[in-house]
Amino acid sequence: MSDVVDEVVDAVVAVAPDLRAALADHRGAKGGTNPSGDEQSLADRKLDDLLYEALTRIDGVGEFASEERESVRDCGDGLSVAIDPLDGSSNVESNNSMGTIVGVYDEPLPASGRDLVAAAYVLFGPITTMMVARDGEVTEYVVEGDADSEPGDDVRRTVGEDVALPEDPVVYGFGGRVPDWTDGFTEYAREIESELKLRYGGAMIGDVNQVMTYGGVFAYPGLQSRPEGKLRLQFEGNPMAYIVESAGGRSSDGAQSLLDVEPTGLHQRVPVHLGNEDLVDRLEATLA
Ligand code: FBP
């Protein structure tokens, strides 16, 4: 199994320069709507195609699912890979950070976060970085290749081993329109605003990466108009929770770890709160 996880990670590293190049090539073009009803850009679709090709050719990958596809693709026996090819796609137009999220489950999809055996994200910022969590450890890489790198070139450089959330939190980023927050979340936010600095860029990966770097809390909470929140459990909530928890932090849907949320559908949404343990504990206490 760990060989297959290696192959998945290697494949994502190898394709990351192409994904980055595709962002520039497809900037601004509209592509329709995805299965969750969100507007899709051509960049979403192009990155989805590139990752589909890179990941389904791996022998030990048995299922492939993407936020951009209606259903799970059966590719034989093996691990199940769920991806959000382009998280924060509205940032393509404004040229702000965005990224790719990958979850590797050892059960058929939709699966519980407890079935994850690895998770990773690629952050397309001024440089391309990748955070990989497996076996309870998190490693950060810089991906240095470009679209002309040859297959087989190892284009990654390790920049952080055993990555852990800093103990003294500094930043917070909360999504959703403020008037649409619930009273409980508003009360929590008012406290946090007086303690930490706001860092919100509109792409969960960029915002969670700030939390991983400086410590703090990210949330896309359940809203009055949408109690289930915006983010998807299989493609976004679970993998990011696995990474943050592997780095010593906590995740929550408001009451329990995201990894304990019962999977009910491939495109199921869930309120997402991620960050330092104490900050997520306080959130749950306020919402209780
Ligand atoms: P996409 O996967 O469609 O890009 O949506 C996810 C996301 O962009 C998250 O990365 C981000 O936290 C959130 O939506 C931002 O939503 P909003 O624009 O409502 O603040």
Side-chain angles (χ1 to χ4, degrees), residues 67 84 86-89 200 202-204 218 220 230-232 236:
E67 188 184 298
D84 180 358
L86 185 53
D87 172 70
S89 46
Y200 188 74
M204 176 177 55
F218 166 85
Y220 203 108
K230 177 181 183 190
L231 304 176
R232 294 86 174 159
E236 296 168 317

PDB file of all heavy atoms in Angstrom, residues 67 84 86-89 200 202-204 218 220 230-232 236, ligand 1:
ATOM      1  N   GLU A  67     -13.903  16.605  -7.489  1.00  0.00           N
ATOM      2  CA  GLU A  67     -14.968  17.576  -7.256  1.00  0.00           C
ATOM      3  C   GLU A  67     -15.618  17.989  -8.579  1.00  0.00           C
ATOM      4  O   GLU A  67     -16.767  18.411  -8.608  1.00  0.00           O
ATOM      5  CB  GLU A  67     -14.357  18.797  -6.565  1.00  0.00           C
ATOM      6  CG  GLU A  67     -15.369  19.790  -6.100  1.00  0.00           C
ATOM      7  CD  GLU A  67     -14.714  21.015  -5.514  1.00  0.00           C
ATOM      8  OE1 GLU A  67     -14.001  20.874  -4.503  1.00  0.00           O
ATOM      9  OE2 GLU A  67     -14.908  22.104  -6.073  1.00  0.00           O
ATOM     10  N   ASP A  84      -9.588  17.602  -5.297  1.00  0.00           N
ATOM     11  CA  ASP A  84     -10.127  18.895  -5.746  1.00  0.00           C
ATOM     12  C   ASP A  84      -9.025  19.463  -6.627  1.00  0.00           C
ATOM     13  O   ASP A  84      -8.001  19.921  -6.124  1.00  0.00           O
ATOM     14  CB  ASP A  84     -10.408  19.815  -4.551  1.00  0.00           C
ATOM     15  CG  ASP A  84     -10.966  21.155  -5.021  1.00  0.00           C
ATOM     16  OD1 ASP A  84     -11.095  21.357  -6.250  1.00  0.00           O
ATOM     17  OD2 ASP A  84     -11.267  22.007  -4.164  1.00  0.00           O
ATOM     18  N   LEU A  86      -8.664  22.106  -8.469  1.00  0.00           N
ATOM     19  CA  LEU A  86      -8.318  23.526  -8.327  1.00  0.00           C
ATOM     20  C   LEU A  86      -9.165  24.142  -7.225  1.00  0.00           C
ATOM     21  O   LEU A  86     -10.305  24.555  -7.450  1.00  0.00           O
ATOM     22  CB  LEU A  86      -8.529  24.258  -9.661  1.00  0.00           C
ATOM     23  CG  LEU A  86      -8.099  25.719  -9.684  1.00  0.00           C
ATOM     24  CD1 LEU A  86      -6.647  25.879  -9.211  1.00  0.00           C
ATOM     25  CD2 LEU A  86      -8.247  26.307 -11.077  1.00  0.00           C
ATOM     26  N   ASP A  87      -8.580  24.183  -6.039  1.00  0.00           N
ATOM     27  CA  ASP A  87      -9.258  24.798  -4.899  1.00  0.00           C
ATOM     28  C   ASP A  87      -9.003  26.307  -4.946  1.00  0.00           C
ATOM     29  O   ASP A  87      -7.848  26.730  -5.055  1.00  0.00           O
ATOM     30  CB  ASP A  87      -8.697  24.217  -3.594  1.00  0.00           C
ATOM     31  CG  ASP A  87      -9.231  24.960  -2.394  1.00  0.00           C
ATOM     32  OD1 ASP A  87     -10.427  24.831  -2.098  1.00  0.00           O
ATOM     33  OD2 ASP A  87      -8.453  25.706  -1.765  1.00  0.00           O
ATOM     34  N   GLY A  88     -10.076  27.063  -4.872  1.00  0.00           N
ATOM     35  CA  GLY A  88      -9.932  28.530  -4.936  1.00  0.00           C
ATOM     36  C   GLY A  88      -9.916  29.028  -6.365  1.00  0.00           C
ATOM     37  O   GLY A  88      -9.211  29.980  -6.701  1.00  0.00           O
ATOM     38  N   SER A  89     -10.743  28.393  -7.220  1.00  0.00           N
ATOM     39  CA  SER A  89     -10.638  28.702  -8.647  1.00  0.00           C
ATOM     40  C   SER A  89     -11.050  30.137  -8.982  1.00  0.00           C
ATOM     41  O   SER A  89     -10.666  30.655 -10.022  1.00  0.00           O
ATOM     42  CB  SER A  89     -11.419  27.693  -9.490  1.00  0.00           C
ATOM     43  OG  SER A  89     -12.678  27.472  -8.939  1.00  0.00           O
ATOM     44  N   TYR A 200      -7.117  36.316   4.943  1.00  0.00           N
ATOM     45  CA  TYR A 200      -8.113  35.585   4.162  1.00  0.00           C
ATOM     46  C   TYR A 200      -7.911  35.886   2.692  1.00  0.00           C
ATOM     47  O   TYR A 200      -7.967  37.045   2.280  1.00  0.00           O
ATOM     48  CB  TYR A 200      -9.542  35.960   4.589  1.00  0.00           C
ATOM     49  CG  TYR A 200     -10.581  35.074   3.938  1.00  0.00           C
ATOM     50  CD1 TYR A 200     -10.755  33.761   4.365  1.00  0.00           C
ATOM     51  CD2 TYR A 200     -11.355  35.530   2.875  1.00  0.00           C
ATOM     52  CE1 TYR A 200     -11.685  32.924   3.757  1.00  0.00           C
ATOM     53  CE2 TYR A 200     -12.291  34.698   2.262  1.00  0.00           C
ATOM     54  CZ  TYR A 200     -12.448  33.394   2.712  1.00  0.00           C
ATOM     55  OH  TYR A 200     -13.358  32.573   2.101  1.00  0.00           O
ATOM     56  N   GLY A 202      -9.376  33.698   0.109  1.00  0.00           N
ATOM     57  CA  GLY A 202     -10.415  33.122  -0.744  1.00  0.00           C
ATOM     58  C   GLY A 202     -10.057  31.790  -1.371  1.00  0.00           C
ATOM     59  O   GLY A 202     -10.787  31.293  -2.212  1.00  0.00           O
ATOM     60  N   ALA A 203      -8.941  31.201  -0.954  1.00  0.00           N
ATOM     61  CA  ALA A 203      -8.634  29.818  -1.348  1.00  0.00           C
ATOM     62  C   ALA A 203      -8.252  29.090  -0.072  1.00  0.00           C
ATOM     63  O   ALA A 203      -7.280  29.479   0.597  1.00  0.00           O
ATOM     64  CB  ALA A 203      -7.504  29.749  -2.353  1.00  0.00           C
ATOM     65  N   MET A 204      -8.999  28.050   0.255  1.00  0.00           N
ATOM     66  CA  MET A 204      -8.757  27.368   1.521  1.00  0.00           C
ATOM     67  C   MET A 204      -7.301  26.942   1.664  1.00  0.00           C
ATOM     68  O   MET A 204      -6.714  27.073   2.735  1.00  0.00           O
ATOM     69  CB  MET A 204      -9.663  26.152   1.641  1.00  0.00           C
ATOM     70  CG  MET A 204      -9.364  25.363   2.897  1.00  0.00           C
ATOM     71  SD  MET A 204     -10.437  23.970   3.160  1.00  0.00           S
ATOM     72  CE  MET A 204     -10.255  23.073   1.678  1.00  0.00           C
ATOM     73  N   PHE A 218      -8.587  28.487  10.637  1.00  0.00           N
ATOM     74  CA  PHE A 218      -9.317  28.743   9.400  1.00  0.00           C
ATOM     75  C   PHE A 218     -10.715  28.171   9.577  1.00  0.00           C
ATOM     76  O   PHE A 218     -10.883  27.095  10.155  1.00  0.00           O
ATOM     77  CB  PHE A 218      -8.648  28.057   8.204  1.00  0.00           C
ATOM     78  CG  PHE A 218      -9.542  28.016   6.997  1.00  0.00           C
ATOM     79  CD1 PHE A 218      -9.605  29.096   6.138  1.00  0.00           C
ATOM     80  CD2 PHE A 218     -10.364  26.910   6.740  1.00  0.00           C
ATOM     81  CE1 PHE A 218     -10.473  29.086   5.041  1.00  0.00           C
ATOM     82  CE2 PHE A 218     -11.228  26.892   5.643  1.00  0.00           C
ATOM     83  CZ  PHE A 218     -11.274  27.991   4.790  1.00  0.00           C
ATOM     84  N   TYR A 220     -14.574  27.733   7.275  1.00  0.00           N
ATOM     85  CA  TYR A 220     -15.689  28.045   6.390  1.00  0.00           C
ATOM     86  C   TYR A 220     -16.880  27.404   7.089  1.00  0.00           C
ATOM     87  O   TYR A 220     -17.149  26.210   6.948  1.00  0.00           O
ATOM     88  CB  TYR A 220     -15.513  27.535   4.956  1.00  0.00           C
ATOM     89  CG  TYR A 220     -16.391  28.352   4.024  1.00  0.00           C
ATOM     90  CD1 TYR A 220     -15.839  29.268   3.153  1.00  0.00           C
ATOM     91  CD2 TYR A 220     -17.775  28.252   4.092  1.00  0.00           C
ATOM     92  CE1 TYR A 220     -16.646  30.068   2.348  1.00  0.00           C
ATOM     93  CE2 TYR A 220     -18.585  29.038   3.296  1.00  0.00           C
ATOM     94  CZ  TYR A 220     -18.016  29.945   2.435  1.00  0.00           C
ATOM     95  OH  TYR A 220     -18.817  30.745   1.650  1.00  0.00           O
ATOM     96  N   LYS A 230     -19.921  25.343   2.750  1.00  0.00           N
ATOM     97  CA  LYS A 230     -19.651  25.334   1.313  1.00  0.00           C
ATOM     98  C   LYS A 230     -18.721  24.199   0.886  1.00  0.00           C
ATOM     99  O   LYS A 230     -18.806  23.694  -0.223  1.00  0.00           O
ATOM    100  CB  LYS A 230     -18.996  26.672   0.928  1.00  0.00           C
ATOM    101  CG  LYS A 230     -18.618  26.725  -0.529  1.00  0.00           C
ATOM    102  CD  LYS A 230     -17.955  28.034  -0.926  1.00  0.00           C
ATOM    103  CE  LYS A 230     -17.674  28.009  -2.423  1.00  0.00           C
ATOM    104  NZ  LYS A 230     -16.827  29.116  -2.851  1.00  0.00           N
ATOM    105  N   LEU A 231     -17.823  23.813   1.773  1.00  0.00           N
ATOM    106  CA  LEU A 231     -16.725  22.932   1.344  1.00  0.00           C
ATOM    107  C   LEU A 231     -17.153  21.463   1.383  1.00  0.00           C
ATOM    108  O   LEU A 231     -18.042  21.078   2.130  1.00  0.00           O
ATOM    109  CB  LEU A 231     -15.496  23.177   2.218  1.00  0.00           C
ATOM    110  CG  LEU A 231     -15.039  24.650   2.207  1.00  0.00           C
ATOM    111  CD1 LEU A 231     -13.877  24.873   3.156  1.00  0.00           C
ATOM    112  CD2 LEU A 231     -14.654  25.083   0.787  1.00  0.00           C
ATOM    113  N   ARG A 232     -16.504  20.668   0.551  1.00  0.00           N
ATOM    114  CA  ARG A 232     -16.911  19.254   0.391  1.00  0.00           C
ATOM    115  C   ARG A 232     -16.063  18.359   1.277  1.00  0.00           C
ATOM    116  O   ARG A 232     -14.840  18.488   1.333  1.00  0.00           O
ATOM    117  CB  ARG A 232     -16.760  18.779  -1.049  1.00  0.00           C
ATOM    118  CG  ARG A 232     -17.671  19.434  -2.034  1.00  0.00           C
ATOM    119  CD  ARG A 232     -17.026  20.667  -2.466  1.00  0.00           C
ATOM    120  NE  ARG A 232     -17.711  21.378  -3.527  1.00  0.00           N
ATOM    121  CZ  ARG A 232     -17.491  22.664  -3.741  1.00  0.00           C
ATOM    122  NH1 ARG A 232     -16.706  23.350  -2.927  1.00  0.00           N
ATOM    123  NH2 ARG A 232     -18.056  23.267  -4.739  1.00  0.00           N
ATOM    124  N   GLU A 236     -12.227  18.129   0.202  1.00  0.00           N
ATOM    125  CA  GLU A 236     -11.614  19.288   0.858  1.00  0.00           C
ATOM    126  C   GLU A 236     -11.497  19.096   2.373  1.00  0.00           C
ATOM    127  O   GLU A 236     -10.405  19.174   2.930  1.00  0.00           O
ATOM    128  CB  GLU A 236     -12.436  20.548   0.540  1.00  0.00           C
ATOM    129  CG  GLU A 236     -12.409  20.889  -0.950  1.00  0.00           C
ATOM    130  CD  GLU A 236     -13.431  21.940  -1.370  1.00  0.00           C
ATOM    131  OE1 GLU A 236     -14.588  21.874  -0.907  1.00  0.00           O
ATOM    132  OE2 GLU A 236     -13.086  22.820  -2.172  1.00  0.00           O
TER     133      GLU A 236
HETATM  134  P1  FBP B   1     -13.820  25.911  -5.166  1.00  0.00           P
HETATM  135  O1  FBP B   1     -13.315  24.506  -4.880  1.00  0.00           O
HETATM  136  O2  FBP B   1     -14.990  25.940  -6.076  1.00  0.00           O
HETATM  137  O3  FBP B   1     -12.726  26.797  -5.581  1.00  0.00           O
HETATM  138  O4  FBP B   1     -14.442  26.487  -3.801  1.00  0.00           O
HETATM  139  C1  FBP B   1     -13.720  26.358  -2.615  1.00  0.00           C
HETATM  140  C2  FBP B   1     -13.288  27.721  -2.096  1.00  0.00           C
HETATM  141  O5  FBP B   1     -12.711  28.495  -3.095  1.00  0.00           O
HETATM  142  C3  FBP B   1     -12.312  27.567  -0.933  1.00  0.00           C
HETATM  143  O6  FBP B   1     -11.007  27.408  -1.338  1.00  0.00           O
HETATM  144  C4  FBP B   1     -12.508  28.853  -0.169  1.00  0.00           C
HETATM  145  O7  FBP B   1     -12.224  28.721   1.190  1.00  0.00           O
HETATM  146  C5  FBP B   1     -13.937  29.172  -0.417  1.00  0.00           C
HETATM  147  O8  FBP B   1     -14.372  28.442  -1.569  1.00  0.00           O
HETATM  148  C6  FBP B   1     -14.126  30.624  -0.660  1.00  0.00           C
HETATM  149  O9  FBP B   1     -15.459  30.892  -0.805  1.00  0.00           O
HETATM  150  P2  FBP B   1     -15.986  32.392  -0.790  1.00  0.00           P
HETATM  151  O10 FBP B   1     -15.632  32.924  -2.153  1.00  0.00           O
HETATM  152  O11 FBP B   1     -17.445  32.213  -0.579  1.00  0.00           O
HETATM  153  O12 FBP B   1     -15.287  33.152   0.312  1.00  0.00           O
END
